[in-house]
Amino acid sequence: SFRPVHPPGLLLCLTPCAAIGRLTTDHTGFITANLALSTLGALNAALVTRLGRQLGLSRVAALLGGAFYATWLGAAGAEFSARLEPLGTFAFLCGLVLLLKRGEPSSRSLLLAGAALGFAPMVKIWWSVPLLIVLAWQLGAPRRWYRIGRLSVGVAATWLVVAGPFFAMTPSAMW
């Protein structure tokens, strides 16, 4: 029976690369997957820079943050190939960028932030801990219950769309 080791997020995102491999060769599909996720690693450094700017850092400080992320051994060692980390980090950083927009985030931004933050645990279950921390952090925000509610709806919708079909096929394998 099908027993996933991780939630299905990476599997779903790499499906186009697998299709390319099926049309060409396995090697080409693998190279495509590595290039795609290496590109996400580079985008993660850019997102760190953007977050720095959104948090009020100077341009130089934000660029240094992005450069540090790009060259940090932890990120560079994990985000150079088809692994879980580049995709999970990308989803989480996208969620933070949407959540930390200047001013009060719109309902749409909160839903999209929740969807992005909720996708990270669909890649690697350990992203549930930072997700819970972000939700707890919202307890100190203005209109906290509205924000937590919108974020939670985005998270739940993502989980339903990503994991729902797998759960429907083999519920016992998802626990």
Side-chain angles (χ1 to χ4, degrees), residues 69-92:
Y69 182 86
T71 58
W72 176 52
L73 186 60
E79 298 188 1
F80 70 94
S81 68
R83 295 179 179 209
L84 301 169
E85 288 77 13
L87 183 59
T89 302
F90 178 75
F92 203 80

Side-chain angles (χ1 to χ4, degrees), residues 1 15 26 33 40 54 63 84-85 96-97 101 104 122 138-139 142 157 160:
S1 97
T15 299
D26 288 347
L40 276 185
Q54 284 181 229
L63 285 170
L84 301 169
E85 288 77 13
L96 289 179
V97 165
K101 284 183 172 180
E104 182 67 22
M122 291 292 95
Q138 295 306 299
L139 289 171
L160 183 65

